[in-house]
Amino acid sequence: MTDTNELIRLSAAQLAQKLAAGEVTSVEVTQAYLDRIAAVDGGPRGVHAFLHVNTEEALAVAAEVDAIRAAGGAAAAELHELAGVPIAVKDLIVTVGQPTTAGSKILEGWHSPYDATVVKRLRDAKMPILGKTNLDEFAMGSSTEHSAYGPTRNPWDLDRIPGGSGGGSAAAVAAFEAPLALGTDTGGSIRQPGAVTGTVGVKPTYGSVSRYGAIAMASSLDQIGPVSRTVLDSALLHQVIGGHDPYDSTSLPDPLGDLVAAARLGNVDGMKIGIIKELHGEGYQAGVENRFNESLELLKQAGAEIVEVSCPNFKYALGAYYLIMPSEASSNLAKFDGVRYGLRVLPKDAPLTIERVMGATRAAGFGDEVKRRIILGTYALSAGYYDAYYGSAQKVRTLIQRDFEAAFAQADVLISPTAPTTAFKLGEKLNDPLAMYLNDVATIPANMAGVPGLSLPGGLADEDGLPVGIQLLAPARQDARLYRVGAVLESLLEAQWGGPLLAQAPALATSVVEPVETLETQEAK
Amino acid sequence: MSVDATLSFEEAMEKYDPVLGFEVHVELNTKTKMFSSAPNVFGDEPNTNVNEVDLGMPGVLPVVNRTAIESSIKIGLALNCKIAETCRFARKNYFYPDTPKNFQTSQYDEPIAYDGYLDIELSDGTVFRVEIERAHMEEDAGKLTHMGGSAGRIQGADYSLVDYNRSGVPLVEIVTKPIQGAGSRAPELAKAYVAAVREIVKNLGVSDAKMERGNVRCDANVSLRPHGRERFGIRSETKNVNSLRAVEHAVRYEIQRHAAVLDSGEPVIQETRHWHEDTRSTTSGRAKSDADDYRYFPEPDLVPIVASREWVEELRATLPEPPAERRKRLQADWGYSDLEFRDVVNAGVMDEIEETIAAGATATVARKWWMGEIVGRAKNADVDPGQLGVQPATIVELNKLVEDGKINNKMATAVLDGVLAGEGTPAEIVEKRGLAVVSDDGPLLEAIDAALAAQPDVADKIRAGKLQAIGAIVGGVMKATRGQADAGRVKELILQKLGVEG
């Protein structure tokens, strides 16, 4: 048996190997992560990556995998490669047997009667689900500060944000509370948290992973994707969750090919990598820019050809995004009305009409950022404004797609910093929505065009010693290229650092004994 | 409820020219719902035919029902529409508890079928062309039942119950262009148009087409303008007029009401109106303006529907014969005269007669019952004949009882009333009421002897060969047996008794 402190630091691929070889059991691995969660997640200075910890079920699945492996034979041989490797799930994705809150009071205590397709696939692969991770309410935010259940802290500096909306999944993986996690990315919610926590996050090609069971923010932009500590691990997880789903009409009919093989290829010979002129330089932190340039140099040394491409319409992406996303969100969130499930608030005074109950429920159940976006979207879709706002934004979307087409005519993969800055301090941008929105300036174009994007750690910024993310972008359905280039760059960088970047993260206090802040403990209060 | 002033229909017609428009909602009879795999079944226990999609649970996504698309294309083709090569769904956003997502997935500016027409034959054979603007797909809402308060309306109710079984049932909404030039035949045209649409969807097999179940629902738009003026008047929209007779009555009533409003010098208010079958009048519903803002936008969870020309032609090839041809065929099959057949069509019982014949009756028997008995009863009850509740099998059963000599015609009509009163099947009613033709010759012979003795002069006439005089003796026997004798058998026995060859 391996030391648990080492065990939790292994990658998912390494864990899978050890499990297959019988060097460790899934129960040991799962318990090690549950212990780590108990040690670092709760309390006033805890990471608070989890909203719910799924101890019993996770251990039961782990024990089942161990039993199958111990029995040997065909059943053991048929076990999925990642069977027994635990995973955390963003609390925007519905799960039977655990609450799903979307980080909102309006769904407090709600249990889904059905599993998301990706969750079914995790269950089919027999991956123990450790619990549900924190997020900005309904995935609206870039810092996880908009969670109704309190912010998640960045394991690199507990006074800083872990990014958002998927700060919980990224922080859980960065703090070794889980080897893998699922996220959702509408404008950067997987990649930007990955960047600021020194982890890997992938937004797959739109339609390549089923959205069935991911509580929708903006249907045409949302995509579920993997969160991990290595590029290979994301590829392994992507293979588990991807593929056609008849329950999602926007699901692509054909699989993306062998992503794991791409991550293992190990060369970038002759590949053309395009720097997007508009996505670096002015407005980007110096330390971010430095690490970005180093990555370019490494790729060049490895045999890639670096070219510069221009995407002139990307400057309109943020504006158009903040019309399309709230428009769709305003409609998607209309169902939260207190009639069928979730919170129901009765107005204090008469009359108790349906409109007033819906109004009181939504007023009490939604946070400010959610209300802000609902109001923005309702306005943008209103008669007389539709053409000027939603209609124009859709045209911008087409222009962005054309920019990508032109860029991919010159390069196989595009590259940029994932976020303009490293992690900012908790509370720093909370009252400045526009500054908050600017965090996603480099990640939004991929969602607008439906193309895949990957963020991987690019090192630490000189000025603050915090992680910097490097973003790779590929044409739609060419996710394999991201894994190929990402894995090569990762190994070149790790050779420089002498190991994974996360090894340089400060040790988290593990003496905290306060219980994990979960829905149950909150309800108990 | 205040009573609106009305003008007489004749006076309204003298002064004004009506313009009509219809939105007919047709519920498709697909096995599953428009966007989910839950069963599309009417009348089950509330909230049992639902899954997470129909309930608008967090995270769900719609998937289009392919059969519903096919049915919609068939309806479009039968309405002589063009079929869009590609079209999209849109979201119609509004908060209402019968709509679980608080938006209805519908088609907005890209209907699957558009620019069609339907030729409507009026009772005197005149053909009137109604132009179809569009036929688009959408999903039905759940059903609300308002408890407490008055009139089953949400206003003033203590609470409301919602049944989501209907939520997500596929609908096709057929919208006409403004119908001008119908003049005083507008009410008749209204009824005939809705009847024609109902006939088409029933004939296509894409809907159960039962108006009493809401399978076909009509919103009737009416406006008036002075004769000779081109510009339309302001319209009212009377919602959910759910029988053919009601369509006719509602249009007639609204014409009379509009005329009174216009005569008073007031403007007509653009609003929805509710139809009340009991008072045969409408009351004001919600003020409706073109400014109602549903914030339509393309449904991002669905990809566009592509109807390839090959697919459309394949579906066209499966279309059943058009109604006009079907009528010709049925008339020939049944051997009805032109007048008989037109009466059947105008009475709205063609389908019922067809079903009755299919159930085993002859064309003559079916017509005798529907036209002779049921249409009149429906008129008295103020419902469409098909809604009276007479099953084809009931008629076949009744007719068999008569043919077998178990009951006579007079008894049979009484049994029909019993069936309609819910007393049971014809056989059960015959049993319960002790109805039976007296078939034991003993009591009949006694009655015959008595009748002959009472009218010896008539008996002599018969003996002398004046057989038509037998009616008086038969009448006496029937009276004595309180109508329970088989008149044919009585006749035979009288002739036997008198030794006369029949």
Side-chain angles (χ1 to χ4, degrees), chain A residues 110 114 211-215 219 246-249 331-332 334-337 340-341 362 378 381-383 386 390, chain B residues 52-53 55-63 91 93 95 100-103 164 293 295-298 300-303:
Chain A
W110 179 70
Y114 75 104
R211 291 182 295 117
Y212 194 71
I215 299 177
S219 311
Y247 285 92
D248 178 355
S249 305
S331 174
N332 283 329
K335 61 171 64 165
F336 302 100
D337 60 5
R340 293 164 312 283
Y341 47 76
R362 290 166 67 82
T378 303
L381 288 177
S382 296
Y386 178 91
Y390 189 82
Chain B
E52 65 263 22
V53 176
L55 293 175
M57 287 285 175
V60 299
L61 296 173
V63 177
R91 291 187 184 177
N93 294 287
F95 281 86
K101 299 167 292 185
N102 286 320
F103 62 79
Y164 290 115
D293 191 351
R295 289 173 283 119
Y296 281 101
F297 73 104
D301 284 327
L302 293 170
V303 292

Side-chain angles (χ1 to χ4, degrees), chain A residues 121-368:
Chain A
R121 291 183 180 179
L122 297 182
R123 294 195 201 280
D124 288 347
K126 298 199 190 304
M127 297 174 69
I129 297 172
L130 293 166
K132 306 293 288 286
T133 57
N134 201 8
L135 68 156
D136 286 296
E137 185 177 2
F138 287 104
M140 297 181 183
S142 305
S143 69
T144 319
E145 292 168 292
H146 295 299
S147 169
Y149 304 99
T152 297
R153 295 171 182 277
N154 190 325
W156 288 82
D157 177 347
L158 294 172
D159 292 323
R160 290 184 188 263
I161 59 103
S165 66
S169 284
V173 169
F176 304 105
E177 297 175 73
L180 295 169
L182 288 184
T184 66
D185 190 316
T186 305
S189 284
I190 289 175
R191 290 163 288 158
Q192 182 258 7
V196 300
T197 58
T199 56
V200 177
V202 180
K203 183 206 90 77
T205 295
Y206 184 79
S208 72
V209 178
S210 168
R211 291 182 295 117
Y212 194 71
I215 299 177
M217 167 160 62
S219 311
S220 71
L221 302 163
D222 297 343
Q223 187 61 197
I224 294 175
V227 174
S228 64
R229 290 193 291 265
T230 72
V231 172
L232 175 63
D233 283 2
S234 271
L236 284 163
L237 180 54
H238 194 160
Q239 300 257 102
V240 174
I241 59 175
H244 181 70
D245 177 17
Y247 285 92
D248 178 355
S249 305
T250 61
S251 167
L252 296 172
D254 302 317
L256 295 174
D258 194 340
L259 306 175
V260 174
R264 286 184 168 135
L265 202 60
N267 74 69
V268 289
D269 298 342
M271 287 188 87
K272 279 190 189 166
I273 296 176
I275 306 168
I276 306 168
K277 206 170 96 186
E278 289 79 8
L279 291 189
H280 71 105
E282 200 188 332
Y284 287 74
Q285 193 178 316
V288 170
E289 194 73 10
N290 291 343
R291 295 294 85 77
F292 175 62
N293 288 329
E294 276 172 20
S295 284
L296 295 178
E297 196 52 43
L298 287 173
L299 285 168
K300 203 191 284 180
Q301 284 168 17
E305 184 187 339
I306 307 292
V307 297
E308 189 181 63
V309 299
S310 176
C311 295
N313 294 297
F314 280 17
K315 60 176 171 288
Y316 306 118
L318 192 72
Y321 174 80
Y322 273 95
L323 290 168
I324 291 171
M325 176 272 295
S327 294
E328 294 185 10
S330 71
S331 174
N332 283 329
L333 268 61
K335 61 171 64 165
F336 302 100
D337 60 5
V339 172
R340 293 164 312 283
Y341 47 76
L343 183 72
R344 178 183 292 171
V345 175
L346 303 181
K348 286 193 178 69
D349 45 341
L352 277 183
T353 62
I354 185 72
E355 289 84 1
R356 297 189 71 237
V357 173
M358 285 178 172
T361 300
R362 290 166 67 82
F366 288 141
D368 287 350

